[in-house]
Amino acid sequence: MNIRRQLILTAAALSLGTASVHAQNNVLRVGTDATFPPMEFVDNGKRTGFDIELVDALAKAMGKQVEWVDIDFKGLIPGLISKRFDMAVSAIYITDERKKVVDFTDSYYAGGLVVMVKDNNTGIKKIADLDGKKVSVQVGTKSVGYLTEKHPKALRVEVEKNQEMFNLVDIGRADAAVTGKPAAFQYVRTRGGMRVLEEQLTTEEYGMAVRKDSPELTKAVNAALAKIKADGSYAALVKKWFPAK
């Protein structure tokens, strides 16, 4: 191969490599566990929900395309740290424990833990009534730690998926479920037969988790969040996904 031809091929390879990097820089890989309506879930084979549409709006404001990575909730933080994706968005509460290993964007919604029981359950009227009862919780969520610390006498029934947690209450294998407020009220609105105790266990802030080595991404997402709040897009999503209960 003559030198001129070799130089041309080398230049072409470098050009393709640069194009590939630019294409990759235009993609935002986001990990989620789409089993938690109305935040993220699958409907007719398509991911949807508040978090899903919010990330799409943020990516558009940032000039990026979203590539979703499906993973169980308990694997979100480990998957983020191991660089399986760039950001984790899945109704994740901002906690001091999580902040030790990942960074968070500004809070994008206020939630909290609540107790959900069957309509005809007269044995659980207040939070203290959880003691001695079977309470279903999802592995890897703050519900597990909350019960362990605040209600050690409650009999935790830990499950992998959010829907399993509700199903156990529905069929009577658990007396109550402790979960996030949006998901609880969504279930009550759409399925019926359940009620949420008036007393809320905690007030929490949802945030998008980003690796500590990606401060520029955290800054960019925060800027995009401020932008869609200013132009009304954020308010429209809140109105759509959290109608008055």
Side-chain angles (χ1 to χ4, degrees), residues 20 33 36-37 40 42 101 116-117 178 183 217 229 233:
S20 176
D33 180 3
F36 196 65
E40 49 270 316
V42 175
V101 293
M116 191 174 73
V117 298
V178 170
L217 177 57
K229 283 186 175 182
S233 304

Side-chain angles (χ1 to χ4, degrees), residues 168-245:
L168 289 180
V169 179
D170 200 29
I171 64 177
R173 289 183 57 192
D175 302 298
V178 170
T179 188
K181 179 168 65 173
F185 281 114
Q186 170 80 1
Y187 192 93
V188 169
R189 278 195 301 268
T190 58
R191 296 288 294 273
M194 300 275 196
R195 62 184 172 87
V196 177
L197 298 192
E198 289 187 15
E199 186 180 0
Q200 191 164 312
L201 304 182
T202 64
T203 298
E204 310 286 349
E205 299 288 339
Y206 290 120
M208 302 180 186
V210 183
R211 280 190 305 279
K212 287 186 175 293
D213 64 2
S214 304
E216 69 288 343
L217 177 57
T218 304
K219 184 178 179 180
V221 173
N222 284 338
L225 182 58
K227 180 179 179 181
I228 67 170
K229 283 186 175 182
D231 67 18
S233 304
Y234 174 85
L237 288 177
V238 171
K239 184 177 180 180
K240 174 182 178 178
W241 290 105
F242 305 111
K245 58 182 183 288

